[in-house]
């Protein structure tokens, strides 16, 4: 027999370099096939003398099991390599990526963000430091020129909790801001308000408002109109038909309410109350109303969201219906 351990070692390394089933099969036949080196070597044993036979046969069996062992191990490895290759071949890196379905903010929050952006650009500071949902009657009513037993208190049905109340409007932040700020001031406050209302298509007992307050030496109704019309145009991306209705709020004089025309529904929707800040409100906060004047308005955020997303019922915003909310995406 001509086979030496060095030949076998060389052969084992060759087997270990086979990375495809075909390479490995060639290697197997090379050693173990009919004409293979091991098979042929066994055939030569017959020609040996009786004394030589056992040692050579032992040696050959040893070589055979080394080869078989490494062939089996390499087979497992080749299987894995080929599987991985099959997977890799299926991944086409030149394909367009699939669009991920991305979440976004709730429509109410989107409107708030967009308004915040608009007013920040015009120098209005967002005063969430005075954004108190649990208020007292003093700030919610009294300081806003609505004394006890004033009929205007019943305009907004109030939730009472002990000494405190849940604020009925974000205007309750006005006296706090006025008292704690140097004039002139430009502020916006966003927040939730609470009214003992029966829910219907345009009312919920909890809703969101933005309060805007500007106090300066020279501040007039023209400024109020301009900023309101500008923010509506900014929000909706076009000039919408709006109408002013004379109204009454004890804390503004004169007062107006503003409606926006809904072309699809062919109806007006009230979105905000506004007016020139009443001198008593400025006086109550310790400032001189003969020097300072201002405007204020309070916008219903849900109303804006309804208009923007063309919703029929404000309660749709609270139903957590993701197929509806998912379509309500405002920020370009
Ligand atoms: N606070 C009023 C409301 O909730 C709106 C308003 C705010 C009116 C500021 C005038 C000035 O109805």
């Amino acid at each position: 027999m001509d086979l030496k351990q060095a030949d076998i070692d060389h052969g084992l390394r060759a087997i270990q370099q086979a990375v495809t089933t075909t390479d490995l099969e060639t290697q197997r036949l090379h050693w173990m096939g009919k004409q293979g080196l091991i098979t042929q070597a066994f055939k030569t044993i017959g020609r040996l003398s009786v004394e030589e036979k056992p040692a050579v046969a032992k040696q050959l069996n040893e070589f055979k099991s080394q080869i078989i062992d490494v062939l089996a191990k390499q087979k497992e490895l080749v299987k894995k390599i080929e599987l991985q290759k099959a997977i890799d071949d299926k991944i086409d890196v030149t394909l367009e990526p699939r669009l991920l379905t991305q979440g976004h903010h709730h429509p109410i929050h989107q409107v708030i963000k967009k308004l915040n952006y608009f007013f920040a650009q015009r120098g209005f500071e967002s005063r969430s430091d005075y954004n108190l949902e649990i208020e007292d009657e003093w700030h919610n009513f009294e300081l806003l020129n609505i004394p006890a037993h004033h009929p205007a208190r019943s305009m907004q049905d109030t939730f009472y909790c002990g000494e405190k109340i849940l604020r009925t409007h974000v205007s309750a932040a006005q006296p706090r801001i006025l008292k704690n700020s140097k004039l002139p001031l430009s502020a916006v406050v966003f927040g939730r308000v609470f009214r003992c209302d029966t829910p219907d298509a345009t009312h919920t007992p909890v809703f969101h408002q933005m309060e805007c307050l500007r106090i300066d030496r020279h501040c007039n109704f023209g400024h109020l109109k301009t900023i309101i019309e500008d923010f509506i145009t900014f929000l909706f991306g076009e000039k919408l038909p709006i109408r002013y209705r004379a109204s009454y709020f004890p804390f503004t004089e004169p007062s107006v309410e503003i409606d926006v025309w809904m072309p699809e529904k062919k109806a007006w929707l009230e979105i905000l109350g506004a007016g020139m800040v009443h001198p008593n409100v400025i006086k109550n906060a310790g400032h001189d109303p003969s020097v300072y004047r201002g405007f204020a308005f309070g916008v219903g955020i849900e109303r804006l969201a309804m208009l923007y997303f063309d919703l029929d019922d404000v309660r749709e915003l609270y139903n957590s219906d993701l197929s509806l909310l998912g379509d309500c995406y405002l920020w370009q």
Side-chain angles (χ1 to χ4, degrees):
M1 178 195 70
D2 302 331
L3 277 179
K4 310 250 169 351
Q5 182 64 49
D7 300 325
I8 300 299
D9 289 345
H10 185 74
L12 294 179
R13 277 198 296 279
I15 295 172
Q16 281 164 339
Q17 275 160 20
V19 286
T20 63
T21 310
T22 330
D23 289 352
L24 195 62
E25 183 59 8
T26 312
Q27 287 295 324
R28 193 187 68 79
L29 292 173
H30 178 68
W31 293 97
M32 307 298 297
K34 267 193 186 145
Q35 304 301 321
L37 296 178
I38 298 280
T39 322
Q40 292 304 318
F42 270 107
K43 282 184 186 158
T44 63
I45 292 182
R47 285 186 245 121
L48 298 176
S49 65
V50 182
E51 298 81 49
E52 281 175 317
K53 267 186 191 167
V56 173
K58 186 167 179 258
Q59 177 73 78
L60 264 181
N61 275 323
E62 174 70 18
F63 288 165
K64 187 180 169 186
S65 70
Q66 284 183 29
I67 297 283
I68 288 180
D69 198 34
V70 171
L71 278 172
K73 278 194 188 130
Q74 195 61 19
K75 194 173 171 186
E76 288 307 304
L77 198 67
V78 166
K79 236 200 250 172
K80 279 191 195 144
I81 293 171
E82 289 187 334
L83 178 66
Q84 189 57 50
K85 192 167 175 308
I87 294 171
D88 289 348
D89 285 351
K90 285 222 175 84
I91 298 174
D92 182 352
V93 289
T94 62
L95 277 180
E96 287 280 311
R98 265 185 224 150
L99 284 181
L100 293 176
T101 40
Q102 231 181 346
H104 57 69
H105 282 122
H106 189 278
I108 291 175
H109 196 72
Q110 291 177 47
V111 173
I112 290 177
K113 267 176 68 181
K114 200 154 178 175
L115 291 178
N116 200 15
Y117 175 82
F118 174 89
F119 285 98
Q121 278 196 328
R122 280 153 187 80
F124 286 79
E125 209 183 332
S126 178
R127 298 299 295 266
S128 42
D129 43 346
Y130 295 110
N131 189 6
L132 304 182
E133 292 183 343
I134 301 175
E135 264 292 1
D136 45 43
E137 293 185 90
W138 186 244
H139 287 90
N140 197 83
F141 295 124
E142 230 92 3
L143 291 173
L144 287 172
N145 203 31
I146 321 176
H149 311 299
H150 191 289
R153 285 212 184 183
S154 60
M155 277 164 68
Q156 304 173 349
D157 268 337
T158 312
F159 285 113
Y160 286 85
C161 39
E163 296 283 280
K164 299 278 187 176
I165 60 162
L166 298 180
R167 70 173 167 198
T168 56
H169 51 180
V170 185
S171 302
Q174 274 193 35
R176 294 183 187 277
I177 296 173
L178 269 169
K179 191 155 185 270
N180 296 297
S181 307
K182 283 211 181 100
L183 303 185
L185 77 84
S186 302
V188 283
V189 186
F190 298 88
R192 286 190 301 182
V193 299
F194 307 84
R195 291 183 196 174
C196 228
D197 272 337
T198 312
D200 63 23
T202 46
H203 294 88
T204 46
V206 183
F207 60 98
H208 295 73
Q209 283 189 330
M210 181 195 78
E211 185 81 7
C212 178
L213 176 65
R214 172 151 174 76
I215 307 283
D216 205 343
R217 285 168 191 267
H218 307 286
C219 197
N220 60 41
F221 203 85
H223 297 138
L224 173 66
K225 276 188 73 176
T226 307
I227 194 99
I228 289 177
E229 287 170 25
D230 279 359
F231 100 73
I232 296 174
T233 307
F234 171 79
L235 184 67
F236 293 96
E238 59 178 316
K239 216 165 161 36
L240 295 186
I242 60 175
R243 73 173 180 195
Y244 291 76
R245 269 184 298 110
S247 184
Y248 171 74
F249 299 103
F251 39 96
T252 48
E253 181 60 36
S255 305
V256 287
E257 280 175 304
I258 293 178
D259 305 332
V260 174
W261 178 249
M262 300 184 292
E264 259 99 72
K265 300 194 182 71
K266 301 212 177 348
W268 293 99
L269 180 71
E270 179 200 323
I271 58 159
L272 64 83
M276 300 307 291
V277 176
H278 196 287
N280 285 351
V281 176
I282 297 180
K283 195 164 74 197
N284 289 343
H287 300 289
D288 184 353
S290 67
V291 179
Y292 286 102
R293 59 192 62 228
F295 64 71
F297 59 91
V299 197
I301 304 289
E302 276 80 350
R303 297 283 173 97
L304 294 180
M306 278 178 79
L307 263 177
Y308 196 93
F309 298 116
D310 196 21
L311 303 176
D312 294 327
D313 193 315
V314 64
R315 290 167 292 189
E316 287 178 321
L317 289 167
Y318 295 106
N319 283 345
S320 302
D321 174 357
L322 288 185
S323 61
L324 181 128
L325 295 178
D327 287 342
C328 295
Y329 186 58
L330 161 76
W331 201 272
Q332 300 87 1

